[in-house]
Amino acid sequence: VQPGLEAAFRKRQNKELRERRGEVLLVFDRVMDEPLESQQQLSALFQEASSRMSSLGVPLGGSEQWADRLYIRDKHGTLLFSEAELDRAEAAQKRM
């Protein structure tokens, strides 16, 4: 993939992540708060979280960790996701 195309694609994904930030945080909450009493519950949650995050361009099992991919700064240097939210992303991914 050409570097310019990759950068443009990433920029488009970042814009979508900005717009759907709340949805991303809800996925983390669901992963962290859902009681997992059986392998079936874990499997169902994995499928749901994986599908939702993949649709946002942040796949589970991708080349980047969720927290690394979501470390996005705007034009002014402000993080899109706080350090606490990035820590939650890391913990949620580990739980999966």
Side-chain angles (χ1 to χ4, degrees):
V1 178
Q2 296 175 344
L5 290 175
E6 187 174 333
F9 181 70
R10 186 115 167 153
K11 186 175 182 177
R12 191 170 44 245
Q13 278 186 328
N14 288 353
K15 182 180 182 224
E16 185 170 353
L17 286 167
R18 258 185 224 97
E19 293 168 356
R20 297 174 67 187
R21 182 179 180 281
E23 185 179 339
V24 172
L25 296 174
L26 285 174
V27 172
F28 300 155
D29 289 344
R30 178 128 162 79
V31 169
M32 294 304 294
D33 298 339
E34 184 75 17
L36 300 175
E37 299 172 4
S38 72
Q39 182 64 34
Q40 289 176 324
Q41 287 176 316
L42 175 61
S43 181
L45 182 60
F46 176 88
Q47 291 296 326
E48 177 187 336
S50 179
S51 175
R52 289 178 75 186
M53 292 303 285
S54 289
S55 76
L56 295 165
V58 189
L60 184 60
S63 61
E64 288 181 286
Q65 299 294 316
W66 284 351
D68 293 339
R69 175 61 187 93
L70 297 174
Y71 190 89
I72 301 167
R73 291 193 181 273
D74 67 13
K75 296 174 189 175
H76 308 289
T78 304
L79 286 174
L80 175 60
F81 294 91
S82 70
E83 291 292 338
E85 291 164 339
L86 293 171
D87 289 345
R88 190 146 172 95
E90 185 176 354
Q93 187 171 17
K94 285 180 182 176
R95 188 166 195 229
M96 289 285 84

